[in-house]
């Protein structure tokens, strides 16, 4: 489990990955709140920096076996949480790869 706070995806997500594993995050799989578009445009902030500094609407990331993902999503939705499958765990040593 990774709490996405200051340091965004690039600093927080790798902390939960074992050696040899990388989280591959697909940003098209979750909504991006409009406030981040306003901040990015007003500050002329590069997209990578936006994902490094802010949570981009994702407050927590949970890595688990793919076979458990649907059950976890259903459990979270049943208690009123809005959850998304935002990527997958792949082989590699990057810790996290964010695809914009």
């Amino acid at each position: 489990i990774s709490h996405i706070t200051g340091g965004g995806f690039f600093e927080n997500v790798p902390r939960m990955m074992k050696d040899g594993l990388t989280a591959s995050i697909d940003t098209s799989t979750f909504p991006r709140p409009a406030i981040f578009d306003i901040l990015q445009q007003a500050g002329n902030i590069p997209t990578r920096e936006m994902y490094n500094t802010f949570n981009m609407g994702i407050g927590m990331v949970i890595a688990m076996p793919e076979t458990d993902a649907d059950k976890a999503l259903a459990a979270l939705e049943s208690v009123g949480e809005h959850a998304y499958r935002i990527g997958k765990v792949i082989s590699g040593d990057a810790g996290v790869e964010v695809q914009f």
Side-chain angles (χ1 to χ4, degrees):
I1 297 176
S2 179
H3 186 208
I4 308 302
T5 58
F9 289 88
F10 292 101
E11 292 178 26
N12 294 309
V13 172
R15 294 180 185 145
M16 70 177 173
M17 292 289 109
K18 292 181 179 182
D19 288 342
L21 297 177
T22 293
S24 178
I25 307 293
D26 179 356
T27 61
S28 71
T29 60
F30 57 92
R32 176 179 159 142
I35 188 64
F36 295 117
D37 295 328
I38 295 166
L39 289 170
Q40 185 172 17
Q41 184 176 4
N44 194 29
I45 304 168
T47 300
R48 179 177 165 76
E49 187 64 25
M50 291 295 296
Y51 282 86
N52 191 48
T53 304
F54 301 107
N55 70 12
M56 305 307 286
I58 301 295
M60 185 167 289
V61 175
I62 303 171
M64 67 185 60
E66 187 174 3
T67 55
D68 296 333
D70 287 335
K71 288 189 281 186
L73 288 168
L76 289 164
E77 293 284 341
S78 76
V79 295
E81 294 296 329
H82 299 287
Y84 309 93
R85 188 184 300 226
I86 66 168
K88 58 187 175 182
V89 176
I90 61 174
S91 295
D93 293 316
V96 67
E97 295 175 352
V98 180
Q99 282 134 49
F100 311 112

